[in-house]
Amino acid sequence: MPETPPPSIRPTPPRAAPTPPSAPPAAGGGARVSPVLILMLGSLSAMAPLSMDMYLPSLPRITTGLHTQDALVQLTLTSCLAGLALGQLVAGPLSDALGRRRPLVVGLVLYAASTAACALAPNVELLIAGRLLQGLSGAAGIVIARAVVRDLFDGLAAARFATTLMMVSGSAPLLAPILGGQLLRVTSWRGIFAFLAVLGVVLLAAAALRVPETLPRERRRSGGLPDTLRAMRALLADRLFSAYLLTVAFGFGTLFAFIAGSPYVVQEVFHGSAQRYSLIFALVELGLVGMTQVTGRLLLGRFASHRIQLAGVLGLALSGVLLVLACTVWHAGLWPVTGLLCLMAVALGTSTPPSSALALQQAPHAAGTASALVGSVQFLTGALAPALVGLGGHGSALPMAVVVLGFALAALLAFVLLARPWQAVPDPLRM
């Protein structure tokens, strides 16, 4: 990859729409993007954690309410993750061909409708189907938000703006389980899905009014499915793109293992309440979001990207090893396990910002397709986590710990073998 000039913000004027007005300036100065657009893109990025995390405290109650088994209820998480993965493969290329706005609006309409269907599901089978549709439609917001960032910014500026979005979207996983736990005080699990449906309608109205078109017609891809498949094949053949892609995907597998196993570990293994679970979940997510901000604002541009990524994946592997030891040798209680999960989140917050930014940096002319690949592989990997954790049962925290360790080692191997951090390469995120 050729060496880039010093990073700067280089917004692309949208067609038939005003240039987005204002955001915190990235390194190098330049035009600004409006706080409203930052909030909207962050909210769209938050759709996945909201859809997954808000109902987590209610998983045991869904099992009881629908007279089913824990393993089947966990499939509602798997189906949502699978939908998010597959939906991005559709929404990303469509947004490269049709522009960003139309696929986004259609996706939000379908998201609100499918979420309302989840609230009305009479059995677990229909709830699983509704969650699949919820993921498929909600994927549009996630992939298009990332593509808009790539439309507007380049290099270090893109990485830092993505970090700003993470600060907005990161509040969702912090607040979602707490809000879900509080909603369970006054309503059932169906009320949580009803709340999400209303939120989908609000986002739809806001997106229709405030998100501009950032991909001009002259930059759109028009080759249809064959062109999309060629672009995907070229990206996957790029060794560095695949390195960053798999590092993000396997890294987030550790987080999804926590998401899948923690409701049962906290509430059934350690006999905590739904509210205590919400607090622990928020602590872990706070470690992730806080370290993401530190990495994006303080580390990127000052240290080599590959060194930052290597520190992150080594930290992930260490946290996985310590979690397994805590469950098998030390027989640790709830709070030591929580501390190790926070260490896992901090390591993930170190490796993710440079990996995501560098992956999109490899595809300046197919940002939607690249964003779709990053997101879809990430969520497909995450969809495996609930099934893998469920195979070990819910009698201890060990199944969750083993899956965390497995994904952490996979992230470390993918990064070391494909990115080859010992080799000197141009670093577009370095000042």
Side-chain angles (χ1 to χ4, degrees), residues 51 76 79-84 87 107 109-115 117-118 126-140:
S51 299
T76 64
S79 64
C80 182
L81 289 168
L84 286 165
V109 170
L110 295 176
Y111 175 85
S114 59
T115 305
C118 289
L126 288 177
L127 180 59
I128 291 170
R131 291 281 285 167
L132 177 64
L133 294 175
Q134 186 188 39
L136 285 168
S137 54

Side-chain angles (χ1 to χ4, degrees), residues 145-171:
R146 279 197 304 261
V148 167
V149 172
R150 188 63 185 88
D151 290 341
L152 298 175
F153 301 104
D154 195 13
L156 182 61
R160 289 188 167 167
F161 189 78
T163 301
T164 302
L165 288 190
M166 183 64 183
M167 183 169 59
V168 178
S169 63
S171 63

Side-chain angles (χ1 to χ4, degrees), residues 34 64 139 146 170 274 292 311 356 373 376 428:
S34 73
T64 303
R146 279 197 304 261
T292 300
S356 298
L373 280 173
S376 61

Side-chain angles (χ1 to χ4, degrees), residues 117-380:
C118 289
L120 300 173
N123 54 56
V124 71
E125 290 80 12
L126 288 177
L127 180 59
I128 291 170
R131 291 281 285 167
L132 177 64
L133 294 175
Q134 186 188 39
L136 285 168
S137 54
I142 305 165
V143 70
I144 290 173
R146 279 197 304 261
V148 167
V149 172
R150 188 63 185 88
D151 290 341
L152 298 175
F153 301 104
D154 195 13
L156 182 61
R160 289 188 167 167
F161 189 78
T163 301
T164 302
L165 288 190
M166 183 64 183
M167 183 169 59
V168 178
S169 63
S171 63
L174 285 171
L175 299 176
I178 296 175
L179 180 57
Q182 295 305 312
L183 284 174
L184 287 176
R185 291 180 179 271
V186 297
T187 185
S188 69
W189 62 269
R190 297 182 187 276
I192 294 176
F193 283 107
F195 178 88
L196 286 170
V198 172
L199 185 61
V201 173
V202 172
L203 278 176
L204 168 63
L209 293 174
R210 302 309 299 264
V211 175
E213 179 57 70
T214 59
L215 187 67
R217 290 186 180 276
E218 62 270 17
R219 290 176 51 200
R220 297 177 189 177
R221 305 177 70 90
S222 57
L225 180 61
D227 184 62
T228 296
L229 293 177
R230 281 193 297 270
M232 288 185 175
R233 185 166 58 250
L235 286 170
L236 293 174
D238 184 322
R239 175 176 56 81
L240 285 176
F241 178 83
S242 294
Y244 307 138
L245 169 73
L246 293 176
T247 301
V248 171
F250 289 136
F252 266 87
T254 63
L255 183 65
F256 288 127
F258 160 72
I259 290 172
S262 57
Y264 300 97
V265 168
V266 174
Q267 297 179 76
E268 296 184 1
V269 176
F270 293 109
H271 308 292
S273 65
Q275 287 69 39
R276 176 169 290 186
Y277 163 73
S278 300
L279 173 62
I280 290 171
F281 192 98
L283 287 174
V284 174
E285 290 289 344
L286 183 61
L288 172 62
V289 175
M291 194 61 204
T292 300
Q293 297 305 302
V294 170
T295 301
R297 296 178 182 278
L298 300 180
L299 302 182
L300 286 180
R302 292 176 172 84
F303 301 95
S305 301
H306 279 184
R307 290 185 179 181
I308 298 172
Q309 291 167 293
L310 183 60
V313 291
L314 284 172
L316 274 179
L318 175 63
S319 66
V321 169
L322 293 177
L323 269 173
V324 171
L325 290 175
C327 296
T328 57
V329 177
W330 303 326
H331 304 290
L334 175 59
W335 294 111
V337 169
T338 300
L340 292 174
L341 290 168
C342 288
L343 173 62
M344 175 202 78
V346 167
L348 184 61
T350 304
S351 66
T352 298
S355 297
S356 298
L358 288 170
L360 293 185
Q361 190 70 20
Q362 298 292 109
H365 304 300
T369 302
S371 176
L373 280 173
V374 171
S376 61
V377 174
Q378 174 182 320
F379 283 110
L380 279 175

